[in-house]
Amino acid sequence: MEIRLEQVSKDFDSVRVIEDLELLVHDGEMIALLGPSGCGKTTTLFMICGIHTVTAGRVLFGDRDVTHVPPQERNVGVVFQSYALYPHLAVAENIAFPLRIRKEAKEDVEHKVRKIAATLHIDSLLTRRPGQLSGGQQQRVALARALVRDPAVLLLDEPLANLDTGLRLEMRSELRRIQQATGSTAILVTHDQAEAMSMCDRIALMNEGQIEQIATPSEIYVRPRNKFVASFIGSPPIAFCSGAVSENMFKGPGFKFELPERLQAAAIKPDSAVTLGIRPEALQPGLDIPVSGMIAFVEPQGRETLYGLQLPDGNMLRSVQAGGSRFKLGEHVRWGLDRESLLFFDPDGSGI
Amino acid sequence: MNARRAPWLLTMLLVMVSLPILILYTWLFVDSVSVSAPGSIWPKAFTLKNWRFLFETIEGHASIWRVTFNTLVFALCTVTVVIGTSVTAGYALSRLKFPFRAQFLGGVLILHAFPSISLIVAIFLMLRLLGLYDTLAGVILVKASLEIPFGIWVMKGFYDSVPWEIEMAGIQDGASRFQVWRRLILPQVQPAIAALAIFSFIAAWSEFILPLVLAPSSETQLLSVYLAGLLTDDYLSDYGLLKAVGLFYILPVMVFYLFTQDKLMNIYSGATKG
Ligand SMILES: Nc1ncnc2c1ncn2[C@@H]1O[C@H](COP(=O)(O)OP(=O)(O)O)[C@@H](O)[C@H]1O
Ligand SMILES: [Mg+2]
C-alpha cells in the first residue's frame, strides 16, 4: 500500500513540531525516517498510524484518505520503541490479540499465530510471558503482533535501539528479510544512519520537523542536498572549510584548484563565498590537489586509521586511510584531495 | 552489622514492640472463655456463658445475627461502590483529557485529607432530606463517599505507572478505548484493586461514628454500634460478655487480614509487578 503525506503539519499546544511535510512511500518499499533525536520522527509515525491527529494536511493510504479515520480502522502494524507487549498475556495471546479483537475464528487465530511465529523463529516461546523474554525475543514478538493481521502498512519506531550491538546487527538483516518476505510497505524510524543505510530502499532525512532530503542511501551520501544532510550522513563525519570561487578556481586555506566540470557548468558568481565539504576518504596521500598540514590526531581503528589534519589556518580535516598508522602525531605532511568527490555548498548551506 | 545476627535482633525488637498488643489479645481471648474474681486478672474457671449472645438475644438489644448480617452488607456494598468508582474515576484522571481535570484532582486530594467527623451534622441533615436517614443504603453511601477520594488517588497512581504505549498498542491492534481498558489495563492494576478492596472492607467493618449517628435503630445497627450499646447499658455490667462480643467483632477482620496482608502491602509500594 502506498503511503502519502500531503502538506502535513502538527502542533502540540500551539508549538509547531511538524511543518508542511511531504512524503511518498511506494508500495512494498521500506523507507527510513532518519534524523536527530527530537526532530519529529515519532510524531510523524504516530500521525500515519492515527495516534496523533494531524493539525493540517492529508494522510493517504493508496487512494484512500485516512486523515480522519480512527487508528482502529487504519490496519497499520506498529512496533513501538518500548515494544509495548501486554505483560499479563502469554506470547501466543499477545500475538493473537489483534485477531481476537476482530473476533476471528479460533482455528484461524491459532493457525495464523503459529505461522507468523515460525517466520520469526519464536515458536518455542509461545507459552512464555513477555517478562521472561530477552530484548531480542520481545522485539520479535512485537513484530509478530504487528504482522499477524497482514497490515497495510508496517511502522517501526527505533526497533533496534534497545538491543545490544551484536543482536542489532543480526536483527538488521532479519528485519529486512521479514519485510521483503511479507511484502509490507514499511517505515523505519531511526537516528542511526548505519541502520537506515543498510536496511532501507530510501532514506528520508528529517531535521526540525521537516524533511531535508529523500533519496537512496548512496545518492544521499554522494549528493547531499545541503550542509545538514552532508554532515548528518557519513561516519566519520565530513569536514568543511570555507573559501572563495573565481574564474572556475576554488581558493581555500593554503590550497587552490580548478573546479570539477559539473561545477564549471553551474556558473558560480565570481568571488562568491563557497563552503567546501571534504569526506574523510576524499583526503588521501598522493592525490592531485595538494593540501599541507600537521597531523593533529591519530585514531587506529583496526582495518583503517583515522587522521586529523590541521591546516595552517586552524581548520581540521579528517582522513580515513587503509592499514595501520603510517604517520605520526605532529608530523607535517602533504596530502591531496580527490576532485570528483568534493562537495560544494553556497553560503546558505544548499549544495551546488 | 553482622548479617547473621541482624534478623535475630530485628525479630527480637519486633516482638518487644508488639508484645503488649499480643498480651492484650490473649487476655481478651482468655477472659472471654473464663470466669475471674472481681479485681483479679487471673482466670478461675472455664465457661462458655459469655458466648451466650450467639444463641439468644440480649434483652434490650438487637439480635447478633441481624447485626452481623447488616455489617457484612454494609462492608461489601461499601467495597463495591468504592471499587466501582475509584477504578473508573482513577482511569479518567490518569488518562483522559477533560475540563477542570487539575481542579478535580486537587479537590480529591483535599477531600482525602478532610476530617470526616466535621461533616457529620451536614450529612445527617442531608440524609434526612433524602429520606435515607436510618437506612443501610444511607450509611453505605456516606462511608463510600468518604473512602472514594483515597481510592481514586491510589488507582490513579497505579494507572499512571502503566505505560502509555501499551494502551496505544491496543488501539493500534484494533481495540476500542473501552476494550483496551477492560482487557489490557485492568489486569495490570489488579493488585491495586485487590488491595483497595481489602482496605475498604476493613475500614467499613470498623466504622463506628457514621452508623452510630446515621443508622442507630436495631433494624439497621452495625456490630460496632451494637458493641457500644452493650458497653453503655447500665443494667448490664457483664464484662465477660463484652469481651466475647468484642472478640466476635474483630475476629473476621483478623482472619481476613492474616490471609490478605501481602496484597494489602501493594497499596503502599505502589508498583505493578508482573
Ligand atoms: N505529546 C506531546 N506533547 C508535546 N510535545 C510533544 C509531544 N510528543 C512530542 N513532542 C515534541 O515534539 C518534538 C518531536 O518529538 P518526537 O517526534 O518524539 O521526536 P523524535 O522521535 O524524532 O525523537 C519534540 O520537541 C517533542 O518534545
Ligand atoms: Mg522518537
Side-chain angles (χ1 to χ4, degrees):
Chain A
M1 180 89 66
E2 189 182 87
I3 309 168
R4 189 191 292 270
L5 299 187
E6 287 180 353
Q7 298 286 311
V8 165
S9 301
K10 176 70 188 171
D11 296 352
F12 283 120
D13 307 321
S14 77
V15 178
R16 183 138 290 199
V17 173
I18 303 288
E19 175 109 52
D20 289 338
L21 191 103
E22 292 275 343
L23 179 66
L24 174 66
V25 188
H26 302 298
D27 188 28
E29 185 182 37
M30 178 136 154
I31 203 167
L33 271 187
L34 176 66
S37 188
C39 72
K41 306 180 295 289
T42 300
T43 307
T44 306
L45 208 68
F46 284 0
M47 286 193 295
I48 295 172
C49 66
I51 291 176
H52 289 334
T53 53
V54 304
T55 309
R58 300 207 300 162
V59 181
L60 293 123
F61 288 176
D63 296 330
R64 180 168 168 236
D65 185 342
V66 295
T67 314
H68 302 290
V69 173
Q72 288 93 340
E73 290 160 31
R74 292 197 191 186
N75 195 19
V76 174
V78 184
V79 175
F80 291 83
Q81 186 169 357
S82 60
Y83 309 142
L85 298 177
Y86 310 134
H88 61 295
L89 298 179
V91 166
E93 280 309 306
N94 262 277
I95 301 174
F97 187 78
L99 307 177
R100 296 242 190 269
I101 289 291
R102 286 185 187 176
K103 298 206 172 16
E104 290 196 12
K106 221 173 161 197
E107 308 81 69
D108 289 356
V109 173
E110 254 168 51
H111 174 73
K112 286 183 186 173
V113 167
R114 232 174 299 120
K115 193 167 151 228
I116 195 78
T119 314
L120 286 159
H121 310 311
I122 48 173
D123 338 38
S124 57
L125 309 174
L126 288 176
T127 54
R128 294 211 208 153
R129 291 284 180 91
Q132 301 166 307
L133 304 179
S134 71
Q137 291 169 331
Q138 290 188 14
Q139 213 247 327
R140 281 163 196 261
V141 175
L143 197 58
R145 189 181 63 188
L147 286 170
V148 74
R149 62 210 155 117
D150 283 324
V153 169
L154 179 63
L155 305 179
L156 308 153
D157 192 1
E158 313 233 6
L160 308 179
N162 297 334
L163 306 181
D164 23 278
T165 328
L167 195 57
R168 202 180 306 163
L169 287 178
E170 185 188 319
M171 280 310 284
R172 266 190 208 168
S173 46
E174 183 73 3
L175 266 181
R176 180 61 162 163
R177 171 185 77 81
I178 292 157
Q179 183 262 334
Q180 282 173 335
T182 54
S184 2
T185 307
I187 301 183
L188 172 93
V189 161
T190 177
H191 62 260
D192 180 348
Q193 49 164 312
E195 234 169 80
M197 292 274 206
S198 61
M199 291 168 67
C200 295
D201 299 306
R202 288 191 302 154
I203 294 175
L205 187 61
M206 283 188 76
N207 186 31
E208 295 181 349
Q210 285 180 310
I211 290 184
E212 300 279 351
Q213 185 170 2
I214 308 180
T216 62
S218 60
E219 210 177 303
I220 208 167
Y221 185 78
V222 179
R223 290 278 164 267
R225 182 177 292 162
N226 56 37
K227 265 180 84 174
F228 176 81
V229 178
S231 57
F232 196 86
I233 304 274
S235 166
I238 194 168
F240 295 107
C241 63
S242 41
V245 165
S246 56
E247 290 157 19
N248 287 332
M249 293 293 284
F250 180 90
K251 276 198 219 57
F255 57 93
K256 176 173 169 173
F257 60 88
E258 192 169 84
L259 291 177
E261 266 161 40
R262 65 186 169 86
L263 266 103
Q264 297 190 9
I268 298 168
K269 263 189 280 159
D271 293 321
S272 61
V274 163
T275 304
L276 179 66
I278 305 163
R279 295 237 187 248
E281 64 274 13
L283 174 64
Q284 299 289 331
L287 290 178
D288 52 350
I289 305 167
V291 175
S292 313
M294 187 193 74
I295 295 188
F297 63 82
V298 181
E299 286 178 17
Q301 297 176 339
R303 201 161 2 98
E304 49 203 23
T305 306
L306 173 67
Y307 296 100
L309 185 69
Q310 189 159 30
L311 301 185
D313 72 335
N315 245 317
M316 182 81 74
L317 303 185
R318 275 174 285 265
S319 168
V320 172
Q321 296 173 20
S325 343
R326 284 185 292 147
F327 302 94
K328 281 195 292 295
L329 196 66
E331 199 175 328
H332 285 268
V333 292
R334 189 176 157 92
W335 290 342
L337 298 176
D338 172 29
R339 191 191 317 264
E340 289 314 312
S341 56
L342 292 175
L343 300 169
F344 299 86
F345 303 93
D346 66 17
D348 65 16
S350 19
I352 306 174
Chain B
M1 199 192 277
N2 189 319
R4 214 126 140 262
R5 216 171 52 204
W8 225 97
L9 273 174
L10 208 62
T11 313
M12 282 294 287
L13 200 72
L14 286 175
V15 167
M16 297 259 286
V17 173
S18 37
L19 206 58
I21 305 170
L22 284 175
I23 291 175
L24 277 176
Y25 278 132
T26 317
W27 192 29
L28 185 66
F29 172 72
V30 171
D31 265 9
S32 78
V33 290
S34 63
V35 253
S36 48
S40 150
I41 58 164
W42 299 113
K44 268 197 326 213
F46 175 80
T47 175
L48 280 177
K49 190 176 74 67
N50 292 334
W51 290 88
R52 67 180 186 281
F53 68 93
L54 292 179
F55 311 103
E56 59 192 47
T57 301
I58 292 162
E59 207 176 328
H61 297 274
S63 138
I64 185 78
W65 294 114
R66 173 79 215 212
V67 172
T68 309
F69 177 74
N70 283 349
T71 312
L72 204 62
V73 169
F74 171 72
L76 290 179
C77 289
T78 303
V79 168
T80 312
V81 177
V82 168
I83 294 296
T85 314
S86 310
V87 157
T88 44
Y91 180 76
L93 282 171
S94 168
R95 288 296 153 88
L96 308 180
K97 269 190 199 158
F98 54 88
F100 301 112
R101 183 179 165 280
Q103 287 81 347
F104 198 90
L105 262 178
V108 166
L109 201 59
I110 290 172
L111 273 181
H112 174 40
F114 208 82
S116 56
I117 190 71
S118 57
L119 293 173
I120 198 91
V121 176
I123 289 173
F124 174 77
L125 293 174
M126 264 163 70
L127 285 191
R128 285 288 285 267
L129 202 71
L130 292 169
L132 288 174
Y133 173 69
D134 208 12
T135 61
L136 267 184
V139 231
I140 289 167
L141 273 184
V142 173
K143 179 63 186 166
S145 350
L146 292 173
E147 289 293 320
I148 279 170
F150 173 71
I152 291 180
W153 199 257
V154 166
M155 287 314 301
K156 180 196 171 287
F158 273 81
Y159 282 126
D160 284 348
S161 71
V162 176
W164 177 82
E165 279 92 351
I166 289 195
E167 210 154 325
M168 289 306 120
I171 297 258
Q172 230 28 256
D173 283 346
S176 68
R177 203 69 203 243
F178 180 78
Q179 282 175 318
V180 166
W181 176 71
R182 176 71 200 78
R183 295 176 63 166
L184 301 180
I185 308 301
L186 267 193
Q188 299 193 54
V189 295
Q190 204 248 318
I193 297 177
L196 188 59
I198 297 163
F199 191 89
S200 354
F201 184 88
I202 294 178
W205 189 269
S206 36
E207 180 59 49
F208 170 58
I209 294 284
L210 292 176
L212 177 73
V213 178
L214 305 174
S217 78
S218 61
E219 303 297 278
T220 52
Q221 210 170 51
L222 301 189
L223 266 173
S224 56
V225 181
Y226 173 86
L227 181 61
L230 291 182
L231 207 64
T232 51
D233 188 338
D234 290 338
Y235 301 101
L236 201 78
S237 55
D238 187 344
Y239 283 101
L241 173 72
L242 278 177
K243 280 172 181 155
V245 175
L247 197 60
F248 179 79
Y249 174 47
I250 59 170
L251 215 54
V253 174
M254 284 175 71
V255 172
F256 192 59
Y257 191 83
L258 224 55
F259 284 106
T260 57
Q261 54 161 335
D262 52 331
K263 291 211 170 64
L264 201 57
M265 292 303 164
N266 274 323
I267 238 175
Y268 299 109
S269 66
T272 45
K273 290 188 189 90

